[in-house]
Structure formats: C-alpha cells, structure tokens
Amino acid sequence: MAGLDPLLQHPTRLTVLAFLGGCIEAEFSAVRDYCQVSDSVLSKAASALEEAGHLSVKKGYVGKRPRTWLAATRSGRRALADHLGVLQQLAAAAEAAGRETGSREAGSRQP
C-alpha cells in the first residue's frame, strides 16, 4: 500500500517506535519488556530503525553497569505518524466500502 513505511510493517519495529514515541528515551530493558521480545530480537529491530534514522542509541553506565538507551528521532516520530495516518485512512476506506457493500446487499434481499 502506498504511503506505508515498509520498515514499520514489521510488528516489533512498529511497537518499538510507538513505545518510544511516548517518551524522551527509554532503557533497552524497559523497551524489551514492553515489547515482550528477547534481547536479540530487540537488538535487530533497533539496529534496523537506527540504520533508517528513526532511532538513536546511546550507551553509558549506571554505576559500573553498562546500559543502553533508545530514543525515537524526529524523523522516526514523523515516519510513525505518517505510517499510522495511512493505516487510519486504509481502515476508514475499508469500513466505508463495507458499509456501502452491506447496504446494497441488504437492499437487494426480498422478504
């Protein structure tokens, strides 16, 4: 479908970007737990989103423990909004077509 971001058609990548759209940044483990995926699945999704410029990755330490934080970029937030807008248009068009088809079929039935 035109206008849909192929990268965001993958459920994990869409969920990651949607989650990050609601915050400034989040620790890797918080995103992993929300998405209910393994470290390796999230790492692959984050890498793909980062490569596309939709996500930034920051590494650091809390005390002596290494940590990774993920954040949606401005272009990532825009891509998500555009993708969701196209999905909403698609759903609205399908619903309208269903109503129209249902009305014609109901009108053609004889009691």
Side-chain angles (χ1 to χ4, degrees), residues 21-104:
C23 57
I24 295 170
E25 68 179 10
E27 193 173 320
F28 184 93
S29 61
V31 179
R32 178 201 61 214
D33 292 348
Y34 177 79
C35 295
Q36 298 180 350
V37 296
S38 66
D39 285 355
S40 65
V41 169
L42 178 55
S43 181
K44 288 177 187 176
S47 292
L49 290 166
E50 182 182 29
E51 189 174 301
H54 293 344
L55 181 116
S56 66
V57 178
K58 181 174 77 174
K59 296 188 179 274
Y61 288 86
V62 174
K64 293 184 179 185
R65 296 182 158 272
R67 294 287 187 253
T68 301
W69 291 272
L70 307 175
T73 62
R74 183 175 295 163
S75 67
R77 292 173 191 274
R78 190 175 326 109
L80 176 63
D82 292 347
H83 186 79
L84 294 176
V86 172
L87 286 175
Q88 288 173 333
Q89 290 172 355
L90 176 65
E95 185 179 336
R99 277 196 306 269
E100 176 63 27
T101 301
S103 295
R104 280 187 297 204

